[in-house]
Amino acid sequence: NAGVMQNPRHLVRRRGQEARLRCSPMKGHSHVYWYRQLPEEGLKFMVYLQKENIIDESGMPKERFSAEFPKEGPSILRIQQVVRGDSAAYFCASSPGLAGVNEQFFGPGTRLTVL
Amino acid sequence: DAKTTQPPSMDCAEGRAANLPCNHSTISGNEYVYWYRQIHSQGPQYIIHGLKNNETNEMASLIITEDRKSSTLILPHATLRDTAVYYCIVRALRLRGSYIPTFGRGTSLIVHP
C-alpha cells in the first residue's frame, strides 16, 4: 500500500515560468490537502480538495496559484509566473475522510527553487 | 480552531522519556487534539490523537487533562531518531465540512546521546 506520492521531489524554475506539482493520494483517500512550508517556518495550509471539487482555498494566494483534483489522476498544484518568494517546500496530505476525525498522511514534499 | 501553545524547544537524553506539553485552553467540546512530527526535510508524520481519554499506541502516549485545556505527548524511550519538530494541533468541524489543521511553530525536540 503505497503512501502519498509527490513528484517531482525537486523542481527548479526561473522567474516567470510555471510550476506544476503533482500529488497522488493514498489508495482509497478522496480528501487532499496542500501545504506550503517556507524555510525555517511551519506549514501553512493552502487548499483542501475532494474529487473534482475545491472545498476550501482560504489559504491560497489569490493570484497565480490554482489547484485541481480531477476525477482521474493526481491532484495538481499549479503556480504561474513564479517569483523567488514562491521558493518553498510544498507538501500534500490525504485522508480517507474528514481530517477532523481522520489522521492525515503526508507525502515527502516537492522542493521548489525559483532562480 | 483552538489555539495551541508549545515550548519552542526541548531536549532529552536518549533512552529517557520525552514529555512534550501543549496548552489549548480555548478548546471546545468537539475538538480533537492531534500530534504530528516532522523530521528534518521530510513530510509530517501522524503520531496520535485523542478527544477526552488518554491514548496510547506503538509510538507514544497522549495524556489529556480532565478539563482538556492541556495535553502531554510522551515518548517513553526516546531515541536519536525521535529528534524532530513536534506539532500539537486542535481542530474542529467548520462550515462545509472543511477542517483546517493549523500547524504552529511546534516544539523542536533534540534527543542527545
Side-chain angles (χ1 to χ4, degrees):
Chain A
N1 185 15
V4 177
M5 300 177 70
Q6 291 187 249
N7 65 81
R9 294 291 305 277
H10 300 273
L11 182 62
V12 179
R13 285 287 179 266
R14 297 189 181 280
R15 281 179 295 171
Q17 291 184 319
E18 179 180 287
R20 279 186 179 237
L21 290 64
R22 287 176 290 277
C23 168
S24 296
M26 286 184 69
K27 187 176 181 180
H29 288 193
S30 58
H31 300 247
V32 167
Y33 310 77
W34 284 94
Y35 293 81
R36 177 167 65 176
Q37 187 171 35
L38 296 171
E40 307 304 322
E41 294 190 12
L43 284 85
K44 301 296 184 187
F45 166 79
M46 299 181 75
V47 62
Y48 163 39
L49 310 101
Q50 294 181 27
K51 282 288 187 181
E52 299 185 276
N53 287 301
I54 297 175
I55 305 301
D56 191 316
E57 56 183 345
S58 59
M60 193 104 91
K62 293 289 187 287
E63 298 178 352
R64 301 188 298 108
F65 285 73
S66 62
E68 63 177 14
F69 188 16
K71 187 177 180 180
E72 301 289 340
S75 175
I76 306 287
L77 179 67
R78 182 183 178 202
I79 311 173
Q80 295 178 290
Q81 299 176 329
V82 296
V83 301
R84 288 211 173 117
D86 296 332
S87 294
Y90 292 82
F91 292 98
C92 165
S94 72
S95 62
L98 290 173
V101 292
N102 295 277
E103 62 267 32
Q104 293 172 300
F105 295 84
F106 282 81
T110 293
R111 276 145 191 85
L112 172 65
T113 301
V114 179
L115 302 177
Chain B
D1 286 355
K3 183 179 177 181
T4 60
T5 304
Q6 299 177 253
S9 64
M10 294 182 65
D11 69 280
C12 173
E14 189 178 20
R16 298 285 193 148
N19 299 296
L20 293 95
C22 179
N23 286 323
H24 30 79
S25 58
T26 58
I27 194 171
S28 59
N30 62 348
E31 290 182 315
Y32 286 79
V33 180
Y34 276 75
W35 283 83
Y36 287 80
R37 73 179 181 184
Q38 187 175 24
I39 296 171
H40 182 62
S41 298
Q42 298 182 21
Q45 176 189 23
Y46 165 81
I47 301 174
I48 199 167
H49 74 281
L51 183 62
K52 294 181 181 178
N53 300 320
N54 298 337
E55 302 287 344
T56 296
N57 63 20
E58 64 279 2
M59 288 184 69
S61 294
L62 174 60
I63 308 298
I64 302 174
T65 58
E66 194 169 339
D67 62 8
R68 303 210 325 120
K69 292 185 177 182
S70 66
S71 61
T72 301
L73 179 74
I74 301 173
L75 307 178
H77 306 286
T79 70
L80 299 179
R81 286 180 291 181
D82 291 323
T83 293
V85 177
Y86 287 77
Y87 297 99
C88 169
I89 300 163
V90 176
R91 63 183 67 167
L93 179 64
R94 291 161 52 97
L95 292 175
R96 299 185 68 196
S98 165
Y99 292 78
I100 309 300
T102 302
F103 287 77
R105 291 283 189 155
T107 295
S108 176
L109 174 68
I110 296 175
V111 180
H112 54 83

